[in-house]
Amino acid sequence: MPTFFERQAISHNVHLNKVQQKAVCQTEGPLLLLACPGSGKTTTLIMRIGYLIEEKGVEPRRIKAITFSRASAQDMKSRFEQFFPSLNQVAFSTIHSLAFSITSRFLKSQGISFTLIEGTPTNNAPMKSQILKDLYKQALKEDCTDDQLQEMIQFISFIKNKMIPEARWKDEALPNPEAVKIAIQYEAIKTQNPSHLWLDFDDLLVIAYEALSTDRHIMESFSKLYDYVLTDESQDTSRVQHAIVEKLVEGHRNLCVVADDDQTIYSWRAADPSYLLNFKETYPDAKILKMEQNYRSSANIVSVANQFIKRNTIRYKKEMFTKNSPVLDIELKRLHDDQAQMRYVIYGLLDLKETSSAAILFRNNASAILYISELERRGIPFYMKDVDQRFFSHWVVDDILNFMRLSFNLERKDIFLKIARKFNLYLSNDQIRKFERIEEAGNVFQLLSRHVPLKDYQIKSLQSYATIYEQMKESRPKSVIRLIREKLGYEQVLQNRAEKFGFRIEVLLDMIRTLEQIAEPFTTMEAFAKRLKELDELTQKAKKIKDPNAVTLSTFHSAKGLEFDHVYMIDCHNGTIPSDEDQRDTEKLEEARRLFYVGMTRARQHLELLTYAEKDGKEKVESRFISEVRSILLKNSKQSEAVTKQVDPENPNTIREIREMTVGLKIVHKKFGEGHIVQLKSDRIILQFGETQKELVIQMILDKGLLAKDSAVQKDLIVK
């Protein structure tokens, strides 16, 4: 009689390797299955479930498979039905679905009802977003933008998923100065009626864990429902989610955790990679298996990606490999500017027979806008994969359009009030209230001057604004945007708001540059506004309907789990991937490297890493990750063997991280000798050598190991 694995090979052409077979058969006790990209983890997981039922005689209803998105749960359910159509269905669900069941029973036992204020709107309670918008406005005295709302939602979700007590909320990175106050008020509003609570999705997790921890009957009821529990994509799981699963398996400990610590990319969303790294501490008797064979990508891509991710230190040691043949070398391209980069990608897509096999990947959503416009113009269909594309409704775009609208009628008080704080006028709340009370109609600048007490600099600014608005009427849209950002002082306002609210100024300025690029071909502001509306509609459509020939546009985050023959990773420069913030923190830098690795491992045959030299006349420094990939490619080439023999051994005290650089630090440069650090800029460093100063690119210094700490070099000299 054929074995289980022989039957699967005959029936479904599924041939599991030795490690996959071990993962299927290791059914008892805790198991951590570390699955490299493209290693067949979903198939292995489904085979394990089938094995439990067919070979171990486990009833399907006694098996719980937990995923962390509805799409993943549905995919696993479909795959199970495909492979085992005659078996009863297993309990596939999301962690939130499980938490909902536990929370419902727990609260019902206490005579408490509840309404969910997230997801589908209800008539019984306001939605979470509206409550937070109202609280934000009360606390900060201004309307809450979509970005600010999202940051508040993420902050509240983060502290709950990390199980951080209220007393320590203030110690976390705050999205705004009143974030803790808003969060406390938000929780109070939801619990103001003790017999009927308002709950968000994160509350379901918190209460579910509380129920399992404090209610013996609830704990017994749910822990006895299942004899085997499996969790997928566990690297994306938060602390409270892990805690719920731990409670669920406390009795039998038959837990299979499938994850890849090298693909942990959601720490900002409270994902807790330490759970995986400390798995043996939680389960001392756990088995750990590593699925290291990649079935997806060519040998060229797998080899480089494997060496690249090894530069991280906070990880399990793994050796990803493949038996696939080499296809194309990874290509590194540095174009002149972002327009040249876009043209390069578009021409590459036009050369493909099937654009559906290609993807354009990026870190920031705004990167997609120019591509949407050009793809549409070229007639290339495209699909937006889970892209949270709020560009066209972003407050910066609204501001620019309102500045323009005011130019058509300077008597529109309603429009002026929307942007009154966005002129570089520093109008106070009192001044704005006095303006609102003016009943007289007329030119808004003149009304403000006549009826509101102003300071001298404000009066002078208003006079210049009137002249600028006359200019705007005769200007092309791109020139109008320039006038707004420079002459009306909008760019300075953005700088101020970025400092006050923690926005990333480079992201805001990039949005304005993108608007300028969209505006380039248009002669009127009406035509420009119409084009923005068309692009918005195109984007919304591309998120819902996928053309069979569509090229995929996706962030690195949303691309996880996908694969394509051709992958273009764009905008690969420092400040983006990794961001400036990433480069100042070792853990964040390692997460950024993991994110880059996720992008690389989406490619089956053809991978291109793209950057450009300048934008708006400002130099762009290529990503340190491209530099790392280049060094791997050089190391792997025969040419590098001869070069390597001539290179002196590296000084162990060579500076390799930006955080090692501090103003005043004494250093020795390989070429210029002894000196010290005078100043650190975003991507450059100023060094003093005697009476000579040198301004150098930080990334080049780090990549080439040009600097060492002075004391270490002196010691070297003494030895010599």
Side-chain angles (χ1 to χ4, degrees):
M1 182 177 176
T3 66
F4 174 81
F5 298 113
E6 289 169 343
R7 291 200 304 274
Q8 300 313 311
I10 295 167
S11 303
H12 304 293
N13 197 30
V14 172
H15 301 270
L16 300 187
N17 63 38
K18 289 182 180 179
V19 177
Q20 291 171 328
Q21 289 184 24
K22 280 184 182 179
V24 167
C25 297
Q26 182 63 48
T27 58
E28 308 306 304
L31 168 68
L32 174 59
L33 184 57
L34 296 170
C36 288
S39 60
K41 70 175 179 63
T42 304
T43 299
T44 304
L45 202 56
I46 296 299
M47 289 297 127
R48 179 183 169 90
I49 294 171
Y51 182 86
L52 282 169
I53 299 168
E54 290 189 350
E55 299 297 307
K56 302 282 289 186
V58 179
E59 293 183 41
R61 64 183 179 84
R62 304 293 299 174
I63 302 170
K64 183 66 171 175
I66 301 172
T67 67
F68 300 94
S69 73
R70 279 181 290 184
S72 296
Q74 187 56 47
D75 178 55
M76 287 183 66
K77 183 178 179 182
S78 300
R79 297 277 288 274
F80 180 78
E81 289 173 349
Q82 175 190 342
F83 287 126
F84 302 101
S86 63
L87 299 182
N88 291 333
Q89 191 56 259
V90 170
F92 294 100
S93 77
T94 64
I95 187 70
H96 284 90
S97 174
L98 172 64
F100 180 87
S101 301
I102 297 170
T103 297
S104 298
R105 191 180 301 185
F106 176 61
L107 293 180
K108 186 177 181 180
S109 71
Q110 297 187 334
I112 300 172
S113 57
F114 68 90
T115 297
L116 275 178
I117 58 171
E118 246 185 313
T120 306
T122 173
N123 295 325
N124 299 335
M127 297 303 286
K128 175 180 184 176
S129 57
Q130 190 57 54
I131 297 172
L132 289 173
K133 281 182 178 180
D134 293 343
L135 290 174
Y136 185 99
K137 189 166 186 177
Q138 291 172 23
L140 286 106
K141 311 302 180 191
E142 64 172 56
D143 290 331
C144 181
T145 68
D146 288 344
D147 276 7
Q148 290 162 336
L149 173 63
Q150 193 58 38
E151 287 176 346
M152 270 308 306
I153 289 173
Q154 283 182 0
F155 172 68
I156 290 171
S157 179
F158 184 88
I159 56 182
K160 289 181 183 178
N161 275 273
K162 282 284 190 182
M163 304 172 76
I164 299 170
E166 184 180 311
R168 286 177 35 218
W169 289 359
K170 66 181 186 302
D171 300 328
E172 298 303 313
L174 304 179
N176 63 70
E178 300 296 331
V180 172
K181 177 183 175 183
I182 292 170
I184 291 171
Q185 290 175 336
Y186 169 69
E187 296 304 318
I189 288 171
K190 294 194 289 107
T191 57
Q192 58 190 338
N193 181 355
S195 62
H196 185 87
L197 305 178
W198 294 349
L199 303 180
D200 60 30
F201 292 151
D202 297 311
D203 291 326
L204 297 177
L205 299 171
V206 172
I207 295 174
Y209 175 69
E210 178 191 346
L212 294 173
S213 301
T214 61
D215 190 310
R216 182 171 55 85
H217 297 294
I218 294 288
M219 174 62 180
E220 287 182 0
S221 174
F222 279 91
S223 64
K224 289 181 179 178
L225 273 178
Y226 311 109
D227 298 321
Y228 296 89
V229 175
L230 307 91
T231 67
D232 190 20
E233 298 288 2
S234 298
Q235 73 274 356
D236 298 333
T237 312
S238 70
R239 185 166 299 170
V240 69
Q241 292 169 343
H242 287 308
I244 290 169
V245 173
E246 282 180 25
K247 287 289 181 184
L248 207 59
V249 303
E250 204 170 82
H252 53 72
R253 294 165 66 82
N254 294 326
L255 171 65
C256 174
V257 171
V258 183
D260 182 9
D261 53 309
D262 287 332
Q263 296 187 73
T264 301
I265 56 175
Y266 287 106
S267 66
W268 50 273
R269 213 166 65 182
D272 188 17
S274 64
Y275 172 80
L276 300 178
L277 297 171
N278 301 325
F279 194 75
K280 280 272 194 179
E281 293 180 16
T282 307
Y283 303 102
D285 58 333
K287 297 283 191 297
I288 297 179
L289 294 175
K290 299 174 184 178
M291 289 170 48
E292 298 166 305
Q293 183 172 354
N294 181 301
Y295 293 92
R296 173 189 301 155
S297 304
S298 69
N300 316 64
I301 294 169
V302 170
S303 173
V304 174
N306 180 56
Q307 293 174 73
F308 172 76
I309 198 60
K310 283 182 178 181
R311 297 194 173 217
N312 276 359
T313 57
I314 310 170
R315 63 187 293 269
Y316 282 100
K317 289 183 178 179
K318 294 186 287 296
E319 286 290 342
M320 182 171 64
F321 70 96
T322 187
K323 294 181 180 178
N324 295 339
S325 301
V327 181
L328 297 168
D329 287 333
I330 296 173
E331 293 189 52
L332 312 181
K333 288 283 193 303
R334 188 168 189 246
L335 289 306
H336 173 64
D337 57 18
D338 56 337
Q339 290 282 345
Q341 176 188 249
M342 179 187 67
R343 289 192 296 271
Y344 176 83
V345 173
I346 296 296
Y347 292 148
L349 294 174
L350 289 170
D351 284 341
L352 296 179
K353 290 181 180 179
E354 295 182 7
T355 49
S356 61
S357 65
I360 304 170
L361 306 184
F362 40 84
R363 185 171 198 177
N364 297 326
N365 285 310
S367 294
I369 302 302
L370 288 179
Y371 289 83
I372 292 169
S373 181
E374 190 65 13
L375 288 167
E376 189 266 344
R377 193 177 76 81
R378 295 275 188 170
I380 302 173
F382 62 92
Y383 168 65
M384 308 285 286
K385 174 66 172 71
D386 295 339
V387 174
D388 182 13
Q389 193 48 269
R390 295 194 303 267
F391 179 88
F392 300 102
S393 61
H394 194 278
W395 56 270
V396 169
V397 178
D398 282 343
D399 286 349
I400 295 295
L401 290 175
N402 281 326
F403 277 116
M404 289 181 169
R405 290 182 185 114
L406 189 60
S407 72
F408 291 107
N409 184 354
L410 285 171
E411 295 188 5
R412 289 286 302 272
K413 288 172 63 177
D414 58 328
I415 293 177
F416 177 74
L417 284 169
K418 289 179 180 179
I419 52 174
R421 297 179 190 277
K422 308 299 175 68
F423 289 92
N424 199 21
L425 274 172
Y426 296 99
L427 290 173
S428 67
N429 291 333
D430 184 55
Q431 286 174 319
I432 290 174
R433 281 193 294 269
K434 285 178 179 175
F435 178 81
E436 287 178 303
R437 290 195 290 267
I438 298 172
E439 296 182 3
E440 179 185 341
N443 181 298
V444 292
F445 299 135
Q446 294 172 5
L447 291 177
L448 194 60
S449 298
R450 286 203 303 267
H451 298 284
V452 177
L454 299 172
K455 296 179 179 179
D456 290 343
Y457 77 88
Q458 291 175 317
I459 295 171
K460 188 176 179 181
S461 294
L462 282 177
Q463 291 169 348
S464 70
Y465 292 167
T467 305
I468 293 164
Y469 263 91
E470 285 301 315
Q471 278 182 263
M472 287 168 62
K473 292 178 182 178
E474 306 298 324
S475 301
R476 294 172 67 99
K478 182 177 179 180
S479 298
V480 170
I481 297 172
R482 287 276 171 166
L483 288 170
I484 292 167
R485 66 187 289 188
E486 295 172 4
K487 301 298 183 182
L488 296 183
Y490 186 62
E491 188 167 322
Q492 183 58 52
V493 170
L494 290 182
Q495 294 276 3
N496 296 340
R497 291 177 71 82
E499 291 175 14
K500 180 178 179 181
F501 296 110
F503 299 138
R504 287 176 57 198
I505 185 60
E506 65 269 20
V507 172
L508 301 181
L509 294 179
D510 267 350
M511 294 185 75
I512 294 183
R513 294 183 194 111
T514 300
L515 288 174
E516 289 176 348
Q517 289 168 323
I518 295 172
E520 180 89 49
F522 299 104
T523 57
T524 68
M525 287 184 269
E526 293 96 329
F528 167 65
K530 182 182 178 183
R531 182 56 176 163
L532 288 183
K533 186 176 180 181
E534 289 171 354
L535 291 175
D536 189 15
E537 290 171 353
L538 277 170
T539 303
Q540 300 308 320
K541 182 181 177 182
K543 285 161 55 175
K544 298 172 184 174
I545 303 169
K546 185 173 183 180
D547 186 293
N549 298 313
V551 59
T552 297
L553 276 69
S554 173
T555 62
F556 296 135
H557 283 97
S558 294
K560 191 151 74 71
L562 303 181
E563 55 186 70
F564 307 90
D565 287 341
H566 310 276
V567 170
Y568 296 91
M569 290 171 57
I570 63 171
D571 295 353
C572 298
H573 40 250
N574 283 340
T576 299
I577 178 77
S579 69
D580 293 335
E581 185 181 1
D582 294 333
Q583 294 180 82
R584 292 191 290 267
D585 183 280
T586 301
E587 289 187 8
K588 289 181 179 178
L589 181 62
E590 292 214 351
E591 177 150 334
R593 189 177 282 110
R594 292 194 293 269
L595 185 60
F596 202 84
Y597 170 77
V598 165
M600 292 175 69
T601 52
R602 299 312 94 199
R604 287 190 285 254
Q605 300 175 5
H606 172 212
L607 172 63
E608 297 204 30
L609 311 180
L610 307 179
T611 186
Y612 46 86
E614 65 170 58
K615 189 168 185 176
D616 287 346
K618 296 181 180 178
E619 182 186 4
K620 303 293 279 190
V621 178
E622 75 172 16
S623 169
R624 64 178 291 160
F625 299 149
I626 284 191
S627 302
E628 291 175 9
V629 170
R630 181 181 291 109
S631 70
I632 292 167
L633 291 171
L634 285 171
K635 181 182 175 183
N636 291 350
S637 71
K638 293 181 180 178
Q639 179 185 358
S640 69
E641 293 176 7
V643 175
T644 305
K645 293 174 185 176
Q646 300 172 26
V647 175
D648 292 332
E650 180 176 286
N651 187 318
N653 291 285
T654 297
I655 295 174
R656 286 293 184 185
E657 299 285 345
I658 193 170
R659 58 191 175 87
E660 297 179 61
M661 297 179 174
T662 56
V663 173
L665 179 69
K666 291 182 178 181
I667 51 84
V668 170
H669 188 281
K670 282 187 176 180
K671 180 177 180 181
F672 304 119
E674 296 180 25
H676 66 274
I677 298 174
V678 176
Q679 186 181 352
L680 289 164
K681 298 183 178 180
S682 60
D683 61 353
R684 292 177 176 268
I685 186 171
I686 296 177
L687 303 172
Q688 186 78 40
F689 301 99
E691 297 181 1
T692 304
Q693 274 196 359
K694 295 285 184 181
E695 183 170 340
L696 304 173
V697 177
I698 291 176
Q699 195 57 50
M700 181 186 71
I701 287 175
L702 296 176
D703 291 340
K704 295 186 176 181
L706 298 180
L707 287 188
K709 295 173 185 176
D710 182 57
S711 58
V713 176
Q714 288 298 329
K715 186 175 180 181
D716 264 6
L717 293 173
I718 292 168
V719 171
K720 290 178 181 178

